[in-house]
Each structure stands twice: as C-alpha cells, then as structure tokens.
Amino acid sequence: MSRMPRKWNGWVILILALLAIGLFYSILVNPFSFIVPIVVLGGIFLLYKYPPSFLRGTGSNRERPQVKQSRVTAAKTKTTRPRSKTVPFRVIDGGKDDDDLPKYH
C-alpha cells in the first residue's frame, strides 16, 4: 500500500495548493509586482558573482602579479612546515579535601 510521507498530510497539501493558486492569481492581476523583486535579486546576484573593480578591494588578482612556484619549491615548503605542534599536557593538582566542609553545599 503506497501512502504519502507523513510530512505531506492533507493540511500541507491544502496550504501548498492555496499558495500556488494565490501566486498564479497575483501574477495574472499585477505582474509588475513580481518583476521588481526578480530584477533586484538578479542585480544582487550579478554584483555578487561579478563585482565591479572598486568593490574588489586591494587583494584582487589584477593588482598583484601571480608567481607560479616550481615543483621543487612547493615540495620544500610542504615538507619543512610542521603540521601541528605537539604540546604535552600538564596535570594540575586540585584542592585538598577538607573534613570540616560538607561535600555537597
């Protein structure tokens, strides 16, 4: 017996159907109300994907020449650099158990 998943119960389907009907109706009545957000979001996406030169900052590739390392130099820098520093742990002794103080207070 094939049933819908639990999260797709009747209320969810009803709400999604009403949402789709309302969206379709609002596009038919006033399509300009959807063009403005699409243009704004598209502009934001384009500025994010292709930023203008004054927003790129000082670390852009055009201002700094790229230097390609040889394989020997790249291998040296990888092998000489330690991956992590091993630090021995140190145990610090705690306070003394006082007999006059209760354990739980």
Side-chain angles (χ1 to χ4, degrees), residues 12-59:
V12 173
I13 293 173
L14 178 69
I15 289 173
L16 288 176
L18 289 174
L19 184 92
I21 291 169
L23 188 64
F24 182 71
Y25 178 75
S26 63
I27 288 174
L28 286 178
V29 171
N30 192 3
F32 185 71
S33 65
F34 285 95
I35 292 174
V36 172
I38 289 172
V39 168
V40 169
L41 291 175
I44 291 171
F45 175 75
L46 287 176
L47 284 174
Y48 177 74
K49 193 72 174 166
Y50 307 106
S53 61
F54 68 90
L55 290 179
R56 288 186 186 169
T58 59

mmCIF file of all heavy atoms in Angstrom, residues 12-59:
data_model
loop_
_atom_site.group_PDB
_atom_site.id
_atom_site.type_symbol
_atom_site.label_atom_id
_atom_site.label_comp_id
_atom_site.label_asym_id
_atom_site.label_seq_id
_atom_site.Cartn_x
_atom_site.Cartn_y
_atom_site.Cartn_z
ATOM 1 N N VAL A 12 -0.948 20.161 4.711
ATOM 2 C CA VAL A 12 0.187 20.693 3.974
ATOM 3 C C VAL A 12 -0.160 20.801 2.492
ATOM 4 O O VAL A 12 0.154 21.803 1.829
ATOM 5 C CB VAL A 12 1.437 19.807 4.200
ATOM 6 C CG1 VAL A 12 2.588 20.242 3.319
ATOM 7 C CG2 VAL A 12 1.852 19.830 5.652
ATOM 8 N N ILE A 13 -0.806 19.785 1.952
ATOM 9 C CA ILE A 13 -1.197 19.809 0.542
ATOM 10 C C ILE A 13 -2.187 20.935 0.286
ATOM 11 O O ILE A 13 -2.098 21.650 -0.717
ATOM 12 C CB ILE A 13 -1.767 18.437 0.128
ATOM 13 C CG1 ILE A 13 -0.658 17.401 0.161
ATOM 14 C CG2 ILE A 13 -2.387 18.509 -1.259
ATOM 15 C CD1 ILE A 13 -1.129 15.989 -0.065
ATOM 16 N N LEU A 14 -3.143 21.127 1.200
ATOM 17 C CA LEU A 14 -4.132 22.200 1.048
ATOM 18 C C LEU A 14 -3.466 23.574 1.074
ATOM 19 O O LEU A 14 -3.755 24.435 0.237
ATOM 20 C CB LEU A 14 -5.184 22.099 2.160
ATOM 21 C CG LEU A 14 -6.262 23.179 2.150
ATOM 22 C CD1 LEU A 14 -7.157 22.996 0.944
ATOM 23 C CD2 LEU A 14 -7.051 23.136 3.427
ATOM 24 N N ILE A 15 -2.549 23.781 1.993
ATOM 25 C CA ILE A 15 -1.867 25.078 2.098
ATOM 26 C C ILE A 15 -1.012 25.334 0.859
ATOM 27 O O ILE A 15 -1.002 26.444 0.313
ATOM 28 C CB ILE A 15 -1.023 25.133 3.391
ATOM 29 C CG1 ILE A 15 -1.958 25.222 4.602
ATOM 30 C CG2 ILE A 15 -0.069 26.308 3.380
ATOM 31 C CD1 ILE A 15 -1.272 25.105 5.927
ATOM 32 N N LEU A 16 -0.308 24.310 0.378
ATOM 33 C CA LEU A 16 0.508 24.492 -0.823
ATOM 34 C C LEU A 16 -0.353 24.748 -2.053
ATOM 35 O O LEU A 16 0.020 25.562 -2.914
ATOM 36 C CB LEU A 16 1.391 23.270 -1.045
ATOM 37 C CG LEU A 16 2.562 23.115 -0.075
ATOM 38 C CD1 LEU A 16 3.307 21.816 -0.342
ATOM 39 C CD2 LEU A 16 3.492 24.293 -0.152
ATOM 40 N N ALA A 17 -1.507 24.107 -2.148
ATOM 41 C CA ALA A 17 -2.402 24.339 -3.285
ATOM 42 C C ALA A 17 -2.947 25.764 -3.246
ATOM 43 O O ALA A 17 -2.997 26.446 -4.278
ATOM 44 C CB ALA A 17 -3.534 23.321 -3.277
ATOM 45 N N LEU A 18 -3.370 26.228 -2.078
ATOM 46 C CA LEU A 18 -3.868 27.600 -1.950
ATOM 47 C C LEU A 18 -2.760 28.617 -2.234
ATOM 48 O O LEU A 18 -3.009 29.660 -2.843
ATOM 49 C CB LEU A 18 -4.458 27.826 -0.560
ATOM 50 C CG LEU A 18 -5.789 27.117 -0.277
ATOM 51 C CD1 LEU A 18 -6.188 27.310 1.172
ATOM 52 C CD2 LEU A 18 -6.872 27.618 -1.215
ATOM 53 N N LEU A 19 -1.545 28.310 -1.813
ATOM 54 C CA LEU A 19 -0.419 29.189 -2.081
ATOM 55 C C LEU A 19 -0.159 29.279 -3.586
ATOM 56 O O LEU A 19 0.075 30.375 -4.116
ATOM 57 C CB LEU A 19 0.833 28.674 -1.358
ATOM 58 C CG LEU A 19 2.056 29.551 -1.470
ATOM 59 C CD1 LEU A 19 2.086 30.514 -0.303
ATOM 60 C CD2 LEU A 19 3.297 28.710 -1.476
ATOM 61 N N ALA A 20 -0.206 28.145 -4.279
ATOM 62 C CA ALA A 20 0.018 28.143 -5.723
ATOM 63 C C ALA A 20 -1.091 28.901 -6.450
ATOM 64 O O ALA A 20 -0.823 29.668 -7.386
ATOM 65 C CB ALA A 20 0.107 26.707 -6.235
ATOM 66 N N ILE A 21 -2.342 28.731 -6.016
ATOM 67 C CA ILE A 21 -3.462 29.452 -6.640
ATOM 68 C C ILE A 21 -3.318 30.953 -6.423
ATOM 69 O O ILE A 21 -3.499 31.746 -7.342
ATOM 70 C CB ILE A 21 -4.807 28.924 -6.094
ATOM 71 C CG1 ILE A 21 -5.044 27.494 -6.591
ATOM 72 C CG2 ILE A 21 -5.963 29.824 -6.506
ATOM 73 C CD1 ILE A 21 -6.203 26.796 -5.908
ATOM 74 N N GLY A 22 -2.977 31.366 -5.203
ATOM 75 C CA GLY A 22 -2.795 32.783 -4.903
ATOM 76 C C GLY A 22 -1.636 33.390 -5.678
ATOM 77 O O GLY A 22 -1.720 34.519 -6.163
ATOM 78 N N LEU A 23 -0.553 32.659 -5.821
ATOM 79 C CA LEU A 23 0.595 33.147 -6.578
ATOM 80 C C LEU A 23 0.249 33.307 -8.054
ATOM 81 O O LEU A 23 0.569 34.326 -8.671
ATOM 82 C CB LEU A 23 1.765 32.176 -6.399
ATOM 83 C CG LEU A 23 3.118 32.592 -6.955
ATOM 84 C CD1 LEU A 23 3.629 33.824 -6.234
ATOM 85 C CD2 LEU A 23 4.110 31.460 -6.817
ATOM 86 N N PHE A 24 -0.433 32.325 -8.621
ATOM 87 C CA PHE A 24 -0.837 32.392 -10.021
ATOM 88 C C PHE A 24 -1.810 33.549 -10.260
ATOM 89 O O PHE A 24 -1.686 34.295 -11.234
ATOM 90 C CB PHE A 24 -1.481 31.052 -10.428
ATOM 91 C CG PHE A 24 -1.895 30.996 -11.860
ATOM 92 C CD1 PHE A 24 -0.954 30.927 -12.865
ATOM 93 C CD2 PHE A 24 -3.239 31.022 -12.205
ATOM 94 C CE1 PHE A 24 -1.337 30.875 -14.194
ATOM 95 C CE2 PHE A 24 -3.631 30.972 -13.526
ATOM 96 C CZ PHE A 24 -2.682 30.896 -14.521
ATOM 97 N N TYR A 25 -2.751 33.735 -9.349
ATOM 98 C CA TYR A 25 -3.730 34.814 -9.482
ATOM 99 C C TYR A 25 -3.059 36.183 -9.379
ATOM 100 O O TYR A 25 -3.366 37.095 -10.142
ATOM 101 C CB TYR A 25 -4.818 34.677 -8.408
ATOM 102 C CG TYR A 25 -5.839 35.775 -8.457
ATOM 103 C CD1 TYR A 25 -6.813 35.796 -9.443
ATOM 104 C CD2 TYR A 25 -5.826 36.801 -7.513
ATOM 105 C CE1 TYR A 25 -7.753 36.812 -9.495
ATOM 106 C CE2 TYR A 25 -6.747 37.817 -7.558
ATOM 107 C CZ TYR A 25 -7.712 37.818 -8.553
ATOM 108 O OH TYR A 25 -8.636 38.825 -8.609
ATOM 109 N N SER A 26 -2.121 36.321 -8.445
ATOM 110 C CA SER A 26 -1.461 37.618 -8.287
ATOM 111 C C SER A 26 -0.546 37.930 -9.474
ATOM 112 O O SER A 26 -0.360 39.096 -9.821
ATOM 113 C CB SER A 26 -0.682 37.673 -6.975
ATOM 114 O OG SER A 26 0.333 36.707 -6.979
ATOM 115 N N ILE A 27 0.013 36.910 -10.114
ATOM 116 C CA ILE A 27 0.805 37.146 -11.323
ATOM 117 C C ILE A 27 -0.099 37.608 -12.462
ATOM 118 O O ILE A 27 0.268 38.504 -13.234
ATOM 119 C CB ILE A 27 1.596 35.878 -11.713
ATOM 120 C CG1 ILE A 27 2.732 35.651 -10.740
ATOM 121 C CG2 ILE A 27 2.154 35.982 -13.130
ATOM 122 C CD1 ILE A 27 3.476 34.356 -10.936
ATOM 123 N N LEU A 28 -1.294 37.030 -12.556
ATOM 124 C CA LEU A 28 -2.224 37.441 -13.609
ATOM 125 C C LEU A 28 -2.743 38.855 -13.387
ATOM 126 O O LEU A 28 -2.888 39.629 -14.335
ATOM 127 C CB LEU A 28 -3.408 36.469 -13.684
ATOM 128 C CG LEU A 28 -3.114 35.101 -14.298
ATOM 129 C CD1 LEU A 28 -4.367 34.234 -14.249
ATOM 130 C CD2 LEU A 28 -2.632 35.244 -15.721
ATOM 131 N N VAL A 29 -3.037 39.224 -12.137
ATOM 132 C CA VAL A 29 -3.623 40.529 -11.838
ATOM 133 C C VAL A 29 -2.581 41.640 -11.947
ATOM 134 O O VAL A 29 -2.822 42.666 -12.579
ATOM 135 C CB VAL A 29 -4.276 40.516 -10.439
ATOM 136 C CG1 VAL A 29 -4.686 41.906 -10.020
ATOM 137 C CG2 VAL A 29 -5.472 39.589 -10.439
ATOM 138 N N ASN A 30 -1.406 41.448 -11.316
ATOM 139 C CA ASN A 30 -0.397 42.504 -11.289
ATOM 140 C C ASN A 30 0.990 41.892 -11.504
ATOM 141 O O ASN A 30 1.709 41.614 -10.542
ATOM 142 C CB ASN A 30 -0.462 43.249 -9.947
ATOM 143 C CG ASN A 30 0.352 44.515 -9.968
ATOM 144 O OD1 ASN A 30 0.925 44.880 -10.990
ATOM 145 N ND2 ASN A 30 0.422 45.176 -8.825
ATOM 146 N N PRO A 31 1.392 41.674 -12.746
ATOM 147 C CA PRO A 31 2.698 41.035 -12.983
ATOM 148 C C PRO A 31 3.880 41.926 -12.624
ATOM 149 O O PRO A 31 4.969 41.433 -12.367
ATOM 150 C CB PRO A 31 2.682 40.719 -14.478
ATOM 151 C CG PRO A 31 1.673 41.632 -15.059
ATOM 152 C CD PRO A 31 0.666 41.902 -13.983
ATOM 153 N N PHE A 32 3.678 43.262 -12.591
ATOM 154 C CA PHE A 32 4.777 44.166 -12.265
ATOM 155 C C PHE A 32 5.261 43.967 -10.826
ATOM 156 O O PHE A 32 6.429 44.205 -10.528
ATOM 157 C CB PHE A 32 4.334 45.617 -12.473
ATOM 158 C CG PHE A 32 5.445 46.604 -12.271
ATOM 159 C CD1 PHE A 32 6.480 46.701 -13.189
ATOM 160 C CD2 PHE A 32 5.473 47.427 -11.158
ATOM 161 C CE1 PHE A 32 7.510 47.597 -13.005
ATOM 162 C CE2 PHE A 32 6.498 48.324 -10.963
ATOM 163 C CZ PHE A 32 7.520 48.419 -11.894
ATOM 164 N N SER A 33 4.388 43.509 -9.940
ATOM 165 C CA SER A 33 4.795 43.304 -8.550
ATOM 166 C C SER A 33 5.802 42.164 -8.420
ATOM 167 O O SER A 33 6.489 42.066 -7.405
ATOM 168 C CB SER A 33 3.579 43.034 -7.667
ATOM 169 O OG SER A 33 2.972 41.809 -8.031
ATOM 170 N N PHE A 34 5.905 41.293 -9.402
ATOM 171 C CA PHE A 34 6.887 40.217 -9.358
ATOM 172 C C PHE A 34 8.134 40.546 -10.175
ATOM 173 O O PHE A 34 9.177 39.949 -9.965
ATOM 174 C CB PHE A 34 6.276 38.905 -9.870
ATOM 175 C CG PHE A 34 5.349 38.292 -8.881
ATOM 176 C CD1 PHE A 34 3.992 38.529 -8.957
ATOM 177 C CD2 PHE A 34 5.826 37.508 -7.856
ATOM 178 C CE1 PHE A 34 3.139 37.981 -8.035
ATOM 179 C CE2 PHE A 34 4.973 36.959 -6.929
ATOM 180 C CZ PHE A 34 3.621 37.190 -7.016
ATOM 181 N N ILE A 35 8.025 41.486 -11.079
ATOM 182 C CA ILE A 35 9.183 41.849 -11.896
ATOM 183 C C ILE A 35 10.211 42.612 -11.063
ATOM 184 O O ILE A 35 11.416 42.366 -11.174
ATOM 185 C CB ILE A 35 8.737 42.668 -13.124
ATOM 186 C CG1 ILE A 35 7.931 41.769 -14.065
ATOM 187 C CG2 ILE A 35 9.917 43.281 -13.844
ATOM 188 C CD1 ILE A 35 7.325 42.496 -15.236
ATOM 189 N N VAL A 36 9.761 43.510 -10.201
ATOM 190 C CA VAL A 36 10.681 44.322 -9.391
ATOM 191 C C VAL A 36 11.535 43.456 -8.460
ATOM 192 O O VAL A 36 12.768 43.584 -8.461
ATOM 193 C CB VAL A 36 9.897 45.418 -8.619
ATOM 194 C CG1 VAL A 36 10.797 46.123 -7.634
ATOM 195 C CG2 VAL A 36 9.265 46.388 -9.580
ATOM 196 N N PRO A 37 10.952 42.537 -7.662
ATOM 197 C CA PRO A 37 11.833 41.710 -6.813
ATOM 198 C C PRO A 37 12.777 40.813 -7.610
ATOM 199 O O PRO A 37 13.917 40.598 -7.209
ATOM 200 C CB PRO A 37 10.857 40.855 -5.994
ATOM 201 C CG PRO A 37 9.578 41.562 -6.037
ATOM 202 C CD PRO A 37 9.544 42.308 -7.329
ATOM 203 N N ILE A 38 12.311 40.312 -8.773
ATOM 204 C CA ILE A 38 13.183 39.470 -9.577
ATOM 205 C C ILE A 38 14.367 40.275 -10.112
ATOM 206 O O ILE A 38 15.512 39.806 -10.102
ATOM 207 C CB ILE A 38 12.380 38.809 -10.718
ATOM 208 C CG1 ILE A 38 11.455 37.749 -10.133
ATOM 209 C CG2 ILE A 38 13.297 38.197 -11.759
ATOM 210 C CD1 ILE A 38 10.490 37.161 -11.126
ATOM 211 N N VAL A 39 14.119 41.519 -10.547
ATOM 212 C CA VAL A 39 15.202 42.373 -11.051
ATOM 213 C C VAL A 39 16.173 42.725 -9.919
ATOM 214 O O VAL A 39 17.398 42.695 -10.101
ATOM 215 C CB VAL A 39 14.625 43.643 -11.713
ATOM 216 C CG1 VAL A 39 15.695 44.675 -11.970
ATOM 217 C CG2 VAL A 39 13.903 43.292 -12.996
ATOM 218 N N VAL A 40 15.652 43.037 -8.738
ATOM 219 C CA VAL A 40 16.517 43.397 -7.605
ATOM 220 C C VAL A 40 17.364 42.195 -7.183
ATOM 221 O O VAL A 40 18.585 42.313 -7.000
ATOM 222 C CB VAL A 40 15.673 43.927 -6.426
ATOM 223 C CG1 VAL A 40 16.508 44.049 -5.161
ATOM 224 C CG2 VAL A 40 15.061 45.267 -6.780
ATOM 225 N N LEU A 41 16.741 41.034 -7.039
ATOM 226 C CA LEU A 41 17.501 39.848 -6.644
ATOM 227 C C LEU A 41 18.502 39.444 -7.725
ATOM 228 O O LEU A 41 19.616 38.999 -7.417
ATOM 229 C CB LEU A 41 16.555 38.693 -6.324
ATOM 230 C CG LEU A 41 15.716 38.871 -5.061
ATOM 231 C CD1 LEU A 41 14.734 37.729 -4.911
ATOM 232 C CD2 LEU A 41 16.593 38.987 -3.836
ATOM 233 N N GLY A 42 18.135 39.598 -8.985
ATOM 234 C CA GLY A 42 19.071 39.311 -10.071
ATOM 235 C C GLY A 42 20.251 40.264 -10.057
ATOM 236 O O GLY A 42 21.387 39.853 -10.301
ATOM 237 N N GLY A 43 19.993 41.542 -9.777
ATOM 238 C CA GLY A 43 21.089 42.512 -9.683
ATOM 239 C C GLY A 43 22.028 42.201 -8.540
ATOM 240 O O GLY A 43 23.253 42.297 -8.681
ATOM 241 N N ILE A 44 21.472 41.808 -7.402
ATOM 242 C CA ILE A 44 22.307 41.435 -6.254
ATOM 243 C C ILE A 44 23.155 40.218 -6.595
ATOM 244 O O ILE A 44 24.343 40.156 -6.274
ATOM 245 C CB ILE A 44 21.437 41.193 -5.010
ATOM 246 C CG1 ILE A 44 20.840 42.510 -4.529
ATOM 247 C CG2 ILE A 44 22.233 40.533 -3.892
ATOM 248 C CD1 ILE A 44 19.812 42.360 -3.441
ATOM 249 N N PHE A 45 22.538 39.238 -7.267
ATOM 250 C CA PHE A 45 23.287 38.044 -7.651
ATOM 251 C C PHE A 45 24.414 38.382 -8.618
ATOM 252 O O PHE A 45 25.540 37.880 -8.476
ATOM 253 C CB PHE A 45 22.351 37.008 -8.275
ATOM 254 C CG PHE A 45 23.069 35.799 -8.796
ATOM 255 C CD1 PHE A 45 23.554 34.848 -7.918
ATOM 256 C CD2 PHE A 45 23.276 35.621 -10.151
ATOM 257 C CE1 PHE A 45 24.229 33.733 -8.386
ATOM 258 C CE2 PHE A 45 23.948 34.515 -10.627
ATOM 259 C CZ PHE A 45 24.426 33.563 -9.737
ATOM 260 N N LEU A 46 24.138 39.238 -9.594
ATOM 261 C CA LEU A 46 25.174 39.612 -10.558
ATOM 262 C C LEU A 46 26.303 40.398 -9.893
ATOM 263 O O LEU A 46 27.475 40.218 -10.228
ATOM 264 C CB LEU A 46 24.573 40.416 -11.707
ATOM 265 C CG LEU A 46 23.740 39.615 -12.705
ATOM 266 C CD1 LEU A 46 23.116 40.543 -13.735
ATOM 267 C CD2 LEU A 46 24.589 38.557 -13.387
ATOM 268 N N LEU A 47 25.965 41.286 -8.948
ATOM 269 C CA LEU A 47 27.019 42.010 -8.227
ATOM 270 C C LEU A 47 27.845 41.072 -7.358
ATOM 271 O O LEU A 47 29.041 41.288 -7.159
ATOM 272 C CB LEU A 47 26.409 43.121 -7.372
ATOM 273 C CG LEU A 47 25.952 44.356 -8.136
ATOM 274 C CD1 LEU A 47 25.238 45.316 -7.194
ATOM 275 C CD2 LEU A 47 27.129 45.038 -8.792
ATOM 276 N N TYR A 48 27.209 40.045 -6.823
ATOM 277 C CA TYR A 48 27.952 39.079 -6.010
ATOM 278 C C TYR A 48 28.866 38.228 -6.891
ATOM 279 O O TYR A 48 30.010 37.957 -6.541
ATOM 280 C CB TYR A 48 26.971 38.184 -5.251
ATOM 281 C CG TYR A 48 27.631 37.110 -4.444
ATOM 282 C CD1 TYR A 48 28.299 37.409 -3.261
ATOM 283 C CD2 TYR A 48 27.592 35.789 -4.850
ATOM 284 C CE1 TYR A 48 28.920 36.424 -2.527
ATOM 285 C CE2 TYR A 48 28.205 34.793 -4.127
ATOM 286 C CZ TYR A 48 28.861 35.118 -2.966
ATOM 287 O OH TYR A 48 29.480 34.132 -2.243
ATOM 288 N N LYS A 49 28.344 37.802 -8.032
ATOM 289 C CA LYS A 49 29.107 36.923 -8.909
ATOM 290 C C LYS A 49 30.203 37.682 -9.663
ATOM 291 O O LYS A 49 31.312 37.182 -9.812
ATOM 292 C CB LYS A 49 28.141 36.279 -9.905
ATOM 293 C CG LYS A 49 28.697 35.137 -10.666
ATOM 294 C CD LYS A 49 28.857 33.935 -9.797
ATOM 295 C CE LYS A 49 29.290 32.757 -10.646
ATOM 296 N NZ LYS A 49 29.767 31.671 -9.875
ATOM 297 N N TYR A 50 29.896 38.884 -10.147
ATOM 298 C CA TYR A 50 30.850 39.695 -10.908
ATOM 299 C C TYR A 50 30.951 41.087 -10.284
ATOM 300 O O TYR A 50 30.344 42.032 -10.765
ATOM 301 C CB TYR A 50 30.394 39.825 -12.370
ATOM 302 C CG TYR A 50 30.118 38.497 -13.024
ATOM 303 C CD1 TYR A 50 28.820 38.089 -13.270
ATOM 304 C CD2 TYR A 50 31.159 37.665 -13.393
ATOM 305 C CE1 TYR A 50 28.563 36.867 -13.868
ATOM 306 C CE2 TYR A 50 30.915 36.445 -13.996
ATOM 307 C CZ TYR A 50 29.613 36.050 -14.232
ATOM 308 O OH TYR A 50 29.362 34.850 -14.819
ATOM 309 N N PRO A 51 31.706 41.223 -9.191
ATOM 310 C CA PRO A 51 31.782 42.528 -8.531
ATOM 311 C C PRO A 51 32.552 43.537 -9.372
ATOM 312 O O PRO A 51 33.491 43.179 -10.078
ATOM 313 C CB PRO A 51 32.522 42.224 -7.232
ATOM 314 C CG PRO A 51 33.291 40.999 -7.503
ATOM 315 C CD PRO A 51 32.503 40.210 -8.510
ATOM 316 N N PRO A 52 32.150 44.824 -9.293
ATOM 317 C CA PRO A 52 32.913 45.849 -10.005
ATOM 318 C C PRO A 52 34.291 46.032 -9.386
ATOM 319 O O PRO A 52 34.553 45.622 -8.261
ATOM 320 C CB PRO A 52 32.061 47.106 -9.863
ATOM 321 C CG PRO A 52 31.050 46.820 -8.833
ATOM 322 C CD PRO A 52 30.961 45.349 -8.657
ATOM 323 N N SER A 53 35.183 46.680 -10.128
ATOM 324 C CA SER A 53 36.579 46.769 -9.698
ATOM 325 C C SER A 53 36.742 47.559 -8.397
ATOM 326 O O SER A 53 37.620 47.260 -7.608
ATOM 327 C CB SER A 53 37.424 47.398 -10.793
ATOM 328 O OG SER A 53 36.959 48.709 -11.062
ATOM 329 N N PHE A 54 35.890 48.563 -8.140
ATOM 330 C CA PHE A 54 36.067 49.345 -6.914
ATOM 331 C C PHE A 54 35.590 48.589 -5.678
ATOM 332 O O PHE A 54 35.916 48.961 -4.562
ATOM 333 C CB PHE A 54 35.352 50.700 -7.017
ATOM 334 C CG PHE A 54 33.853 50.619 -7.061
ATOM 335 C CD1 PHE A 54 33.107 50.656 -5.900
ATOM 336 C CD2 PHE A 54 33.189 50.509 -8.275
ATOM 337 C CE1 PHE A 54 31.733 50.596 -5.941
ATOM 338 C CE2 PHE A 54 31.824 50.449 -8.328
ATOM 339 C CZ PHE A 54 31.085 50.486 -7.158
ATOM 340 N N LEU A 55 34.848 47.502 -5.840
ATOM 341 C CA LEU A 55 34.413 46.701 -4.691
ATOM 342 C C LEU A 55 35.308 45.506 -4.429
ATOM 343 O O LEU A 55 35.146 44.828 -3.422
ATOM 344 C CB LEU A 55 32.984 46.193 -4.921
ATOM 345 C CG LEU A 55 31.875 47.230 -4.875
ATOM 346 C CD1 LEU A 55 30.537 46.572 -5.150
ATOM 347 C CD2 LEU A 55 31.843 47.923 -3.535
ATOM 348 N N ARG A 56 36.243 45.237 -5.301
ATOM 349 C CA ARG A 56 37.080 44.052 -5.143
ATOM 350 C C ARG A 56 38.110 44.200 -4.036
ATOM 351 O O ARG A 56 38.557 43.234 -3.478
ATOM 352 C CB ARG A 56 37.788 43.728 -6.448
ATOM 353 C CG ARG A 56 36.849 43.184 -7.466
ATOM 354 C CD ARG A 56 37.560 42.737 -8.686
ATOM 355 N NE ARG A 56 36.581 42.352 -9.698
ATOM 356 C CZ ARG A 56 36.858 42.112 -10.934
ATOM 357 N NH1 ARG A 56 38.098 42.209 -11.354
ATOM 358 N NH2 ARG A 56 35.917 41.771 -11.779
ATOM 359 N N GLY A 57 38.494 45.395 -3.710
ATOM 360 C CA GLY A 57 39.462 45.608 -2.640
ATOM 361 C C GLY A 57 40.888 45.551 -3.147
ATOM 362 O O GLY A 57 41.162 45.488 -4.337
ATOM 363 N N THR A 58 41.838 45.556 -2.212
ATOM 364 C CA THR A 58 43.244 45.607 -2.588
ATOM 365 C C THR A 58 43.793 44.238 -2.944
ATOM 366 O O THR A 58 44.879 44.150 -3.489
ATOM 367 C CB THR A 58 44.078 46.182 -1.435
ATOM 368 O OG1 THR A 58 43.907 45.350 -0.283
ATOM 369 C CG2 THR A 58 43.660 47.598 -1.119
ATOM 370 N N GLY A 59 43.102 43.178 -2.651
ATOM 371 C CA GLY A 59 43.643 41.846 -2.891
ATOM 372 C C GLY A 59 43.198 41.239 -4.195
ATOM 373 O O GLY A 59 43.164 40.035 -4.329
#
